[in-house]
């Protein structure tokens, strides 16, 4: 059983190591991105403050706009803790794609 866990962990680290930059969707993606950073050694982490929930109902998507020019030509992984409808994740992806990441 131990070798299976180590193999799986190694495979995860190998897969996540294919990225140059992590973008955590705050708030939920922050602890996950920190954990993955420690696992993979990738220290390039940024945050996109994006939200669509007020209380327990999803509404309009809002985010704090900032320049992500540093991700141009980078392989970027968007990290969040969960996805339900996918609307927030799609909005984040669309926004980040405007800065020209490679992947």
């Amino acid at each position: 059983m131990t070798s299976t866990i180590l193999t799986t962990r190694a495979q995860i680290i190998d897969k996540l190591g294919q990225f140059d930059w992590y973008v955590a969707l705050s708030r939920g993606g922050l602890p996950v991105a920190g954990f993955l950073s420690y696992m993979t050694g990738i220290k390039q982490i940024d945050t996109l403050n994006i939200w669509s929930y007020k209380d327990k109902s999803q509404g309009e998507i809002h985010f704090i706009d900032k320049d992500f020019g540093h991700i141009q030509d980078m392989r970027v992984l968007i990290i969040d803790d969960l996805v339900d409808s996918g609307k927030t994740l799609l909005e984040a992806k669309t926004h980040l794609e405007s800065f020209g990441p490679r992947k």
Side-chain angles (χ1 to χ4, degrees):
M1 178 115 172
T2 304
S3 64
T4 303
I5 292 170
L6 292 177
T7 302
T8 303
R9 183 172 186 266
Q11 289 171 334
I12 291 169
I13 290 170
D14 183 54
K15 193 73 162 170
L16 293 174
Q18 295 176 19
F19 295 93
D20 304 308
W21 210 280
Y22 293 159
V23 175
L25 304 188
S26 62
R27 298 174 309 185
L30 293 169
V32 179
F35 174 75
L36 295 177
S37 173
Y38 282 113
M39 279 184 66
T40 62
I42 293 175
K43 295 182 171 116
Q44 293 77 9
I45 300 175
D46 212 327
T47 59
L48 176 58
N49 192 347
I50 187 167
W51 66 96
S52 63
Y53 278 86
K54 183 175 181 177
D55 296 321
K56 293 184 179 182
S57 59
Q58 188 173 29
E60 185 178 342
I61 296 174
H62 303 275
F63 62 91
I64 297 175
D65 197 11
K66 68 180 190 179
D67 184 9
F68 282 93
H70 53 278
I71 68 169
Q72 183 174 9
D73 255 354
M74 298 285 175
R75 298 167 301 168
V76 177
L77 179 64
I78 301 172
I79 301 171
D80 203 1
D81 61 339
L82 61 94
V83 176
D84 51 13
S85 71
K87 292 177 186 175
T88 304
L89 183 60
L90 182 59
E91 186 70 29
K93 180 179 181 276
T94 299
H95 178 67
L96 293 171
E97 283 177 337
S98 70
F99 293 96
R102 182 174 357 147
K103 178 179 178 181

